[in-house]
């Protein structure tokens, strides 16, 4: 499938006049349409709620959009919880899904009344020591272990991941929590990141629904919700078929009606913690070609770098690139597209076929709406760029300012050593 | 070789009383002894100067130590240049080695009088346009291309790296710069990162010395210095033999006397831009075991995470770990040592044999003195920890404070959206 930017060449040049490159641009219209599709896909479940995985795009302006659809926040740390609180998310709209959790974060989550998702059985006594009491509602994270078949030939290996409890531990955890006063239970499981198959959620749901029936029977605990967590991916590559959230919701519904309804558990709410699927395709990194270098290979140097988008450097991840204004030109030039870090993995693309690039050309690096800005670092002393929202009315709004040298040096502000 | 922390168990507990974990600890004594060894190793060359690669450990307190030994700064960005200026490094002590360089950084480096190291031939006209004039001294970066044999069986592949110019371009660049008024020239080359062989610098030196003779003959340019750049590595693993800087310096001297002296070029200064070798082994990440998790594997969760040290997550890099107070106990337990990120690569060690770890045990993660703190990010909204210097007199000094939520949210300070 041809990948097309959500912004036209004219519009991008209009925006660049106000906000010089580099910056991440987000598409409000795309985000809202996707929100509606997600809500519709799970409308069959009255208790359904998406808790947006804040780590994917921790920007308050974006979280406010999700709030309009009744979505909540999936938080992994104290600052993410702080942001949820500052934006007036209600306690039941805040999920605290963390692992290797510090005591003070459990305390803070508890103070907010967030739903705590226990990653390990030992976290129950740890939480008790840190907080002193248990909430009425709690969730436990399950790891089925071994190798797990999602669909024909698509496997993953949760047994090698650090998350969740074994089945035996889960049963024990429920009993412990019940004995400590918890009345309403959830099950959570995260098996694999960025699946591009409509089968992942339905397959996981089936596993968790069967588990829920067993758990309720064995422990007598009331299961209030099942949290399918994240893992619904996006089509980074042109040859991938994007997930169809309607088909995914329908697949979960079928499993629900086959397993939960007959067991008299048709009141269970379905929760999701999607991040990438909610914002990934609705963000792009806008950057300008500033150097062309021809040595043993041909390089185009741009004004963004791995500081703005680390996925290619860290995972070798593919991000599609469009040279704006040359969308219909032949891709007959092979380039490495590089940033300026003194770090050879600072390449947005390697051996990529693109139209001939001239200095000053604007490049759109696709699908940076999730785990883009949020994974940025300051290596080489480079500063992170700004975030801009392309609003539904076509105007552009700054939603995060660029870093300044003052920000970079802020952790020396209590010393006299640096005088500028 | 057994790897031993530079700090005793008693001392670390004394420091932790004042500075709770996690933090990076640096060893002033070790840094100073190494500085002396480096100076001695190249004392045969009157013009020798080490320009510390700031990106490895961009802390002003550390740079001040290097300043005492007459060392300079190798800067890769505007903020690194700003730090060098704020610390009163002299212009000739500042090397600006960057690639894909923005115009404003060339301008700033030129304003400071820093030595500019041109990465590409096209950067000459780019620099001229940005700055308007050329300095008397300039350096060009060379990439020999292809596959390069360092020593018996140790190869690298500079032809695949984005740095430097081809030989033909280098000759042309010298002529262009000469025609624009440059009088004093340098050659720079970086071929490979973290070599653990005493042969790397001598082999590279031989290549660059022969090139210098040819360049001077062909272009008539006066070669004032040869910059061997970085690449001298450290022994992360216990089975590696650390580099011997004396042997390295001696190897470079031999090449110098065989090639440069007979060519009448015995006045050339040798520069180095070592980072990892200068600070890597003299830093460690000090962290406390806070969770033990036994599912399909055994995990120890600590209070540091990839935010403090990304090398294992990004490169699968090995960092040795010592469980303090258990240095002589048998390593009969296999653990994954994990941080708290919701990111399965947040593991400091995988399947590592260690003594039995109890909650509260202090772990020292070795060799974090270079590319440790400086590669940190804020993924999951996690905050970077502090830096502490273990001084020669045995006292501990805070040399960077920990990040706070206020720092994390600073790029929203011009908006009204977040009210805490």
């Amino acid at each position: 499938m041809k990948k097309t930017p959500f912004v036209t060449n004219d519009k991008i040049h209009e925006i660049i006049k106000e906000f010089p490159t580099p910056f991440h641009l987000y598409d409000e219209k795309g985000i809202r349409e996707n929100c509606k599709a997600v809500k519709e896909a799970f409308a069959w479940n009255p208790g359904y709620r998406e808790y947006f995985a804040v780590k994917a795009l921790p920007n308050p302006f974006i979280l406010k959009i999700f709030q309009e659809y009744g979505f909540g926040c999936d938080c992994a740390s104290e600052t993410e919880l702080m942001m949820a609180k500052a934006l007036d998310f209600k306690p039941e709209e805040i999920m605290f899904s963390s692992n290797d959790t510090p005591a003070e974060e459990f305390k803070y989550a508890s103070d907010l009344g967030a739903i705590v998702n226990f990653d390990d059985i030992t976290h129950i006594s740890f939480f008790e020591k840190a907080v002193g009491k248990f909430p009425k509602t709690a969730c436990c994270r399950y790891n089925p272990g071994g190798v797990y078949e999602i669909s024909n030939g698509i496997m993953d290996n949760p047994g090698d991941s650090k998350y969740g409890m074994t089945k035996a531990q889960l049963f024990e955890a429920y009993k412990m929590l019940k004995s400590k006063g918890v009345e309403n239970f959830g099950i959570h499981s995260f098996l694999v990141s960025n699946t591009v198959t409509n089968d992942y959620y339905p397959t996981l749901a089936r596993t968790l629904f069967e588990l829920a029936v067993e758990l309720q029977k064995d422990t007598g605990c009331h299961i209030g919700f099942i949290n399918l967590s994240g893992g619904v991916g996006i089509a980074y590559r042109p040859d991938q078929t994007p997930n169809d959230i309607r088909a995914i919701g329908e697949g979960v519904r079928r499993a629900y009606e086959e397993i939960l309804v007959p067991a008299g558990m048709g009141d269970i709410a379905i929760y999701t913690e999607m991040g990438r699927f909610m914002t990934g395709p609705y963000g792009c990194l806008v950057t300008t070609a500033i150097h062309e270098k021809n040595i043993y290979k041909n390089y185009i140097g741009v004004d963004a770098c791995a500081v703005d988008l680390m996925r290619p450097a860290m995972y070798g991840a593919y991000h599609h690139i469009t040279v704006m204004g040359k969308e219909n030109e032949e891709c007959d030039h092979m380039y490495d597209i590089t940033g300026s870090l003194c770090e050879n993995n600072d390449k947005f693309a390697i051996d990529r076929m693109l139209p001939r690039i001239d200095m000053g050309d604007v490049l759109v690096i696709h699908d940076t709406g999730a785990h883009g800005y949020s994974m940025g670092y300051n290596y080489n002393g480079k500063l992170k760029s700004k975030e801009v929202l392309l609003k539904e009315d076509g105007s552009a709004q700054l939603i995060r300012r660029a870093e300044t040298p003052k920000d970079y040096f802020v952790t020396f502000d209590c010393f006299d050593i640096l005088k500028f």
Side-chain angles (χ1 to χ4, degrees), chain A residues 24 26 56 307-311 368-376:
Chain A
H24 284 277
Y26 305 113
V307 161
D308 303 298
L309 178 66
M310 197 195 277
R311 299 186 72 259
T368 69
H371 312 289
Y373 185 94
S374 66
M375 282 180 67

Side-chain angles (χ1 to χ4, degrees), chain A residues 52-225:
Chain A
F52 176 64
V54 177
K55 69 185 76 67
L57 181 48
N59 186 301
F61 293 90
I62 302 294
L63 297 189
K64 289 304 276 183
I65 297 175
F66 291 131
Q67 211 169 30
E68 289 182 36
Y69 296 87
F71 295 165
C73 291
D74 161 35
C75 299
S77 65
E78 189 158 5
T79 56
E80 292 186 356
L81 289 167
M82 286 175 73
M83 184 146 56
K85 178 173 186 281
L87 297 173
D88 292 324
F89 279 90
K90 300 192 200 91
E92 67 272 21
E93 292 171 342
I94 308 174
M95 185 74 64
F96 183 52
S97 294
S98 73
N99 68 91
D100 183 25
T101 315
E104 58 275 17
E105 294 196 1
F106 271 143
K107 181 77 174 63
Y108 186 64
S110 167
D111 289 347
L112 294 191
I115 304 173
V116 172
N117 186 8
F118 290 96
D119 179 70
D120 191 52
I121 188 157
T122 63
H123 288 198
I124 297 173
S125 56
F126 186 90
F127 181 92
E128 189 165 32
K129 208 171 147 192
V131 178
K133 61 180 172 18
F134 283 87
K136 294 279 169 228
T137 297
C139 187
C140 291
R141 191 162 181 169
Y142 171 55
N143 184 331
V147 170
Y148 193 90
E149 183 163 0
I150 298 169
S151 62
N152 207 6
I154 302 179
M155 318 282 262
D156 69 86
N157 200 353
D160 266 353
S161 98
K162 64 176 179 171
Y163 309 119
M165 311 181 193
T166 65
K167 190 168 168 181
Q169 289 172 337
L170 191 70
F171 277 67
E172 198 187 334
Y174 265 50
K175 289 171 190 164
M176 284 169 72
L177 286 167
K178 193 182 175 197
S179 76
K180 291 175 191 298
V182 174
E183 294 170 1
N184 185 37
F185 287 80
I187 310 174
H188 173 286
S189 192
F190 174 80
L191 299 189
V192 62
S193 186
N194 192 33
T195 58
V196 194
T197 156
N198 296 332
D199 288 335
Y200 171 62
Y201 259 7
T203 306
L204 172 63
R206 209 164 273 277
T207 302
L208 297 186
F209 294 167
E210 283 164 358
L211 182 68
V213 173
E214 233 186 297
L215 261 172
Q216 184 148 325
K217 215 172 272 175
D218 184 79
T219 65
C221 294
H222 172 255
I223 317 274
F225 61 90

Side-chain angles (χ1 to χ4, degrees), chain A residues 7 25 68-69 120 140 204 224 228 255 280 284 288 305 307 335 353 381 413:
Chain A
V7 60
L25 183 70
E68 289 182 36
Y69 296 87
D120 191 52
C140 291
L204 172 63
L228 300 175
C284 62
T288 303
C305 67
V307 161
Y335 294 116
M353 295 308 298
D413 62 3

